[in-house]
Amino acid sequence: MLAAELASRPLEWFSARGDLAEVVMSSRIRFARNLKDRPFPTFASPEDLTSAQEEVMSLLLSVEHLRDSAVYHIDQLDSLSRQVLLENRQISPALARGGPGRSVVTDSRGVVSAMVNEEDHLRLQVLLGGLNLREALSVASSILERVDESRFAFHRSLGFLSSCPTNVGTGLRASVMLHLPGLQRLGRMEAVSLECQKLGLVVRGAFGEGTPSQGAIFQISNQVTLGPTEEELEEKTSAVARRLFEEEMRARQELLRVGGENLEDSIFRAYGILTNARLLSSREAMELLSTLRLGSSLGMLRPMPAGFWNRLVMDVQPGRVQALRCPDDTDPSGRRRARAALVRERLAEMAA
Amino acid sequence: MLAAELASRPLEWFSARGDLAEVVMSSRIRFARNLKDRPFPTFASPEDLTSAQEEVMSLLLSVEHLRDSAVYHIDQLDSLSRQVLLENRQISPALARGGPGRSVVTDSRGVVSAMVNEEDHLRLQVLLGGLNLREALSVASSILERVDESRFAFHRSLGFLSSCPTNVGTGLRASVMLHLPGLQRLGRMEAVSLECQKLGLVVRGAFGEGTPSQGAIFQISNQVTLGPTEEELEEKTSAVARRLFEEEMRARQELLRVGGENLEDSIFRAYGILTNARLLSSREAMELLSTLRLGSSLGMLRPMPAGFWNRLVMDVQPGRVQALRCPDDTDPSGRRRARAALVRERLAEMAA
C-alpha cells in the first residue's frame, strides 16, 4: 500500500545531521518558478494546467538528480497517501487538494520535492535535517542550474515572476523548523515573533501558514524575496535561527531556575502518560513529546537523540500513524489507540 | 516525635482481615454514653468537663482491655499529632479541636478509641478491617460490660441518653467505609444514597459528615439509634454493606463492557502518573489510587492486596504523609513532593 510505504521510509531530515539539532529540526529552501507565456496556475484552465504539467515534467526529468524520483499525480492518490506526503512535508496543503495537472516529483528520502501546478507552475523544495540551509540552497540551485532556465518567466528588473507578489524576485523562501519549548513556556513567543518581524522574517506554527503551533514547534522564514540575493536570504534566516537557538537554550536554563519542581513534575508526568496511555490524540501526543524532550535536554530524563524525536513527533501525525499502524481502520479511536501503542513501543525501545 | 510514631504504626483495619475487603475497607461500631447527674459536654463548664473527664477515665482504665492503651489529652498534642489521630480515625474532627477535659484513650493498633468529652462524655469506638461489624460490636459490648454501666445516664423507656437526640437509645452507630468506584463512575451514587435512606441508613463522604467523597470512598451508617436492638442495627448495616458490595461488583463488570478503551486508558494513565509524578495533592492522589485499584480489580493491572491499598490511601492524607516523611516541613509543596515520593516507592515495592 502506497501510504504505508510513504510513511515507513526514513526521511533524510529525521536524521538531524545539520547543526543545532537540539533546537533546529529541519531546514528548507523553496524556489517558485513559472513557465513563460503561460497563465499562472491560479488563472489557468484545466487544459492549460495539463499542458504546463507536461512541460514542467519534461524539464524536471531531464535533470539527472531527479531521474530516480517518483512522480505522483495527486488526483490518482488516495486521501491517506496525500495526507502522508503532506505530513512528510513533501507536498503543501494546497497541492494535497489535487486538481488537474497537479503532481509532485520527489525522492524516496524526502530531500527534493518538485510540486507542479501548486500556486506556481513549479515549486522546488529541498529539505534537510538540523540547521543546514546553505547545503539545501546549494542542492536546490544545482537542480535549477540543470534546468533550462530560459523557459521560466523572468523580468529584467523584478526577477522571476510568481502568482503571488510576495514570491517575486528570487522566488526563494528559506525556512527552518524549530522546537522552542523553553521560550514558549516562559511566554516569550509573542516577543520572538515581533523580533523576527523586524528582521524581515515571519514565525508560523508547525505546519505552516495559518496553523497553530503544536508541541512548541515553530517555523520561521523570510518574508521578502525581492531585493536581497539568494545567499543573503539564506544567511539572514540562518543567523536568526542561530540566535533563536541561543535564546532557547538560555530560556531552558532560566526555566530550570524558575520552573523548579512544577517543571520537573510536568516532565515526569509527560513520561508517565506517554509510556502508559492507551489512547492519545495527536495534539496531546505532541505536547507531551515536546515536554519529554525538554526534560531530556534539561538532564532530567535520559538523553534523547534529535533524530529519534523528529521521527516520533512525525509518526504521531494522523496520516502517518494510520498508514504505519492501522491503514484500514477508519474509526478515529483506532488511530488514537494505534498512536498510543506506537509511542509506548518507541519509548520502550529507547529505554532498552 | 509523636506524630511520626502515630503515623507509622500499622493500624489493624489496614490489614483488611474482614469480609468483602475488595469493597469494604473498614467496619466501625460506636457507642455514645453520658455520665449520670452531670451536664452534657455541650452545656458543661470547663470545671464540669475536667471532673467528667476524671470520672470517665477512671471507668475506662478499670477495664483490663484498655489498661495498655495510651491516653492523649488533646490540648497537650501538637496539631500534626491531632491531625494524624484524626486521619487514623482514632478521634473525630470535633475532638481534634481540643478544649478542656478532652482526651482519648486508644490502643496502638487503632482498634479501640474512647473519646472523652466529645459531643458526649464517652464515645467508644471499635474499628476493624473489611466487613466485620459483628466482631466490632462484640468487642465494644464486652468493654461496656466491664464498665459500671449504672454510672451512665439511662431512661427507662428511651434508653441511654445523649447530647443529640439522634443518638438516644442504644447510642449505637454502626458504619462501614466502602470503595465504590464502579457505582460512582456509572453515576449511581445518588440512587444508592436514596436507596440507603429508605433502609434507614445514611451515605457520607470518606471522612464523615459534611465531607465530600474523595477517591470514591463512602461511609454508610444507621440513621436511627432508638427502637431496634444493637444486634438488629449491626445486622441491617452489614446487610446493606453486602448488598452494596454486590451492586459495586456488578457495576465494575458493567463498566468493563461500556467503558471500553476510555476506561482502560484512564486506568493506565493513573498508573503512569502515580509512578512518575513529582508532586501530588492528596485529592489527586486519592482519585488516581482509586482508579488504580479499580484497574487492578478489573484485571487490567496486577492484583493489589486490599491491605496495601488501604494503607496507601491513608498514607497520602496530609497529616500522615507529613508525619511519615517531612515532619518539620511546613511548606505545602514539601508535602506534595513527599506524597509523590511515597507513592512512587510503594508502587515500586509492590511491582518488585
Side-chain angles (χ1 to χ4, degrees):
Chain A
M1 199 188 169
L2 180 63
E5 204 187 309
L6 291 170
S8 35
R9 291 176 190 158
L11 300 186
E12 198 285 336
W13 73 269
F14 291 172
S15 70
R17 264 192 285 268
D19 291 342
L20 314 183
E22 201 171 340
V23 169
V24 185
M25 297 170 67
S26 63
S27 300
R28 192 172 64 122
I29 289 290
R30 187 266 287 153
F31 279 107
R33 291 291 183 268
N34 286 280
L35 297 172
K36 228 183 235 176
D37 309 326
R38 284 182 186 275
F40 289 156
T42 32
F43 300 101
S45 68
E47 295 69 32
D48 290 335
L49 290 167
T50 316
S51 106
Q53 176 190 38
E54 279 166 23
E55 188 177 346
V56 173
M57 285 302 214
S58 80
L59 280 174
L60 290 171
L61 297 178
S62 68
V63 179
E64 210 183 317
H65 276 63
L66 300 178
R67 236 168 249 153
D68 294 331
S69 297
V71 176
Y72 301 111
H73 301 300
I74 306 302
D75 280 350
Q76 291 170 18
L77 299 179
D78 58 274
S79 67
L80 185 57
S81 300
R82 295 184 199 196
Q83 174 75 9
V84 172
L85 284 170
L86 175 62
E87 292 170 6
N88 284 356
R89 306 168 66 217
Q90 293 173 283
I91 63 175
S92 66
L95 197 80
R97 286 194 288 273
R102 291 195 151 172
S103 312
V104 64
V105 178
T106 183
D107 64 301
S108 65
R109 308 215 52 215
V111 174
V112 179
S113 298
M115 291 189 278
V116 181
N117 286 321
E118 207 248 27
E119 197 179 284
D120 297 296
H121 288 135
L122 170 62
R123 290 234 165 156
L124 176 72
Q125 73 159 27
V126 174
L127 181 63
L128 295 171
L131 181 57
N132 212 351
L133 282 173
R134 188 171 300 183
E135 191 183 328
L137 176 59
S138 130
V139 173
S141 303
S142 81
I143 293 171
L144 284 181
E145 279 160 20
R146 284 164 178 78
V147 173
D148 178 2
E149 290 213 311
S150 69
R151 308 273 282 275
F152 295 137
F154 185 84
H155 181 280
R156 195 172 304 187
S157 60
L158 291 175
F160 290 101
L161 300 179
S162 57
S163 285
C164 175
T166 61
N167 288 312
V168 165
T170 55
L172 175 84
R173 181 137 291 147
S175 58
V176 293
M177 191 152 88
L178 303 126
H179 183 222
L180 303 173
L183 290 166
Q184 192 183 47
R185 282 188 175 231
L186 290 175
R188 305 251 169 90
M189 283 311 301
E190 208 170 323
V192 164
S193 283
L194 288 171
E195 180 191 359
C196 286
Q197 230 169 9
K198 283 183 202 153
L199 296 165
L201 286 111
V202 63
V203 179
R204 295 192 177 94
F207 293 98
E209 214 159 342
T211 64
S213 162
Q214 280 190 15
I217 298 173
F218 296 89
Q219 275 193 58
I220 60 164
S221 55
N222 59 306
Q223 229 161 355
V224 176
T225 52
L226 184 64
T229 66
E230 294 166 358
E231 287 70 24
E232 284 165 351
L233 289 171
E234 176 272 305
E235 276 162 23
K236 198 206 293 200
T237 307
S238 295
V240 172
R242 267 185 224 101
R243 183 162 154 180
L244 287 178
F245 170 83
E246 274 162 29
E247 287 185 20
E248 170 63 19
M249 294 314 266
R250 269 200 303 276
R252 292 184 191 176
Q253 289 312 308
E254 196 177 329
L255 253 190
L256 252 190
R257 287 193 304 276
V258 305
E261 51 193 9
N262 286 313
L263 172 69
E264 193 191 6
D265 184 53
S266 77
I267 286 166
F268 281 94
R269 280 172 187 253
Y271 179 78
I273 294 171
L274 288 169
T275 51
N276 284 283
R278 262 50 189 171
L279 296 173
L280 280 175
S281 69
S282 64
R283 175 155 206 100
E284 185 185 14
M286 285 186 72
E287 296 306 332
L288 295 174
L289 287 171
S290 169
T291 303
L292 196 69
R293 192 189 196 200
L294 174 64
S296 145
S297 160
L298 294 174
M300 293 184 192
L301 299 174
R302 66 173 64 213
M304 188 182 297
F308 173 87
W309 191 78
N310 288 348
R311 181 170 157 227
L312 186 49
V313 156
M314 287 300 123
D315 283 350
V316 300
Q317 300 308 316
R320 285 181 63 87
V321 81
Q322 179 160 7
L324 288 170
R325 295 297 188 118
C326 51
D328 303 318
D329 202 338
T330 52
D331 165 22
S333 91
R335 203 145 72 184
R336 290 191 295 138
R337 188 169 54 233
R339 182 181 292 113
L342 182 145
V343 170
R344 289 201 309 280
E345 286 166 31
R346 291 280 175 82
L347 293 178
E349 277 165 28
M350 200 191 59
Chain B
M1 197 186 168
L2 181 64
E5 204 187 308
L6 291 171
S8 35
R9 291 176 190 158
L11 300 186
E12 198 285 337
W13 73 268
F14 290 173
S15 70
R17 264 192 285 269
D19 292 342
L20 314 183
E22 201 171 342
V23 169
V24 185
M25 297 170 69
S26 63
S27 300
R28 190 171 66 120
I29 289 289
R30 187 268 286 154
F31 279 107
R33 292 290 184 269
N34 285 281
L35 297 172
K36 228 183 234 176
D37 308 325
R38 283 182 187 276
F40 289 155
T42 32
F43 300 102
S45 69
E47 295 69 34
D48 290 336
L49 290 166
T50 317
S51 107
Q53 177 190 38
E54 279 166 25
E55 187 178 345
V56 174
M57 285 301 213
S58 80
L59 280 174
L60 289 171
L61 298 178
S62 69
V63 180
E64 211 183 315
H65 275 62
L66 301 178
R67 239 169 246 153
D68 295 331
S69 297
V71 177
Y72 300 111
H73 301 300
I74 305 303
D75 279 350
Q76 293 170 18
L77 299 178
D78 59 273
S79 68
L80 184 57
S81 300
R82 294 184 200 196
Q83 175 76 10
V84 172
L85 284 171
L86 176 63
E87 292 170 4
N88 284 355
R89 304 166 69 215
Q90 291 174 282
I91 63 174
S92 65
L95 198 79
R97 284 194 289 273
R102 290 192 151 173
S103 312
V104 65
V105 177
T106 183
D107 64 302
S108 66
R109 308 215 52 215
V111 175
V112 178
S113 298
M115 290 189 278
V116 181
N117 286 322
E118 207 249 26
E119 196 178 283
D120 297 295
H121 288 134
L122 171 62
R123 289 233 166 157
L124 176 73
Q125 74 159 29
V126 174
L127 182 62
L128 295 171
L131 181 57
N132 212 351
L133 283 175
R134 190 172 298 184
E135 191 184 329
L137 177 59
S138 130
V139 172
S141 302
S142 80
I143 292 172
L144 284 182
E145 279 161 20
R146 282 163 178 79
V147 172
D148 179 3
E149 291 213 307
S150 69
R151 309 274 281 276
F152 294 137
F154 185 83
H155 182 281
R156 195 174 302 188
S157 60
L158 291 174
F160 290 101
L161 300 180
S162 59
S163 285
C164 176
T166 60
N167 287 312
V168 165
T170 55
L172 176 84
R173 182 137 291 147
S175 59
V176 292
M177 193 152 87
L178 303 125
H179 184 223
L180 303 174
L183 290 166
Q184 192 183 47
R185 283 190 174 230
L186 290 175
R188 304 251 169 93
M189 283 312 301
E190 208 170 324
V192 164
S193 283
L194 288 172
E195 180 191 359
C196 286
Q197 231 171 8
K198 282 183 201 152
L199 296 164
L201 285 111
V202 62
V203 179
R204 296 191 176 93
F207 293 98
E209 215 159 340
T211 65
S213 163
Q214 281 190 15
I217 297 174
F218 297 89
Q219 276 192 57
I220 60 163
S221 55
N222 58 305
Q223 229 159 355
V224 177
T225 53
L226 183 66
T229 66
E230 294 166 358
E231 287 69 25
E232 283 164 355
L233 289 171
E234 175 273 304
E235 276 163 22
K236 199 205 293 196
T237 308
S238 295
V240 171
R242 268 186 222 100
R243 184 161 153 180
L244 287 178
F245 169 84
E246 275 164 26
E247 286 184 20
E248 170 63 20
M249 295 313 268
R250 270 200 303 275
R252 292 184 190 176
Q253 288 313 307
E254 197 176 328
L255 255 188
L256 252 191
R257 288 193 303 276
V258 304
E261 53 193 6
N262 287 313
L263 173 69
E264 193 192 6
D265 184 51
S266 75
I267 286 167
F268 280 94
R269 281 170 184 253
Y271 179 79
I273 294 171
L274 288 170
T275 52
N276 286 284
R278 261 50 187 171
L279 296 173
L280 279 175
S281 69
S282 64
R283 176 156 204 99
E284 185 185 15
M286 285 186 71
E287 296 306 333
L288 294 174
L289 286 171
S290 169
T291 303
L292 197 69
R293 191 189 197 199
L294 174 65
S296 146
S297 160
L298 294 175
M300 292 183 192
L301 300 173
R302 66 173 63 211
M304 186 181 299
F308 173 87
W309 191 78
N310 288 347
R311 184 172 154 225
L312 186 49
V313 156
M314 288 300 122
D315 283 350
V316 299
Q317 300 307 316
R320 286 181 62 87
V321 81
Q322 181 160 5
L324 287 170
R325 295 298 188 116
C326 52
D328 304 318
D329 201 339
T330 52
D331 164 23
S333 91
R335 204 146 72 185
R336 290 192 294 140
R337 188 171 55 233
R339 183 181 290 113
L342 182 145
V343 169
R344 290 202 309 280
E345 286 167 29
R346 292 280 175 81
L347 293 177
E349 280 164 28
M350 200 190 60

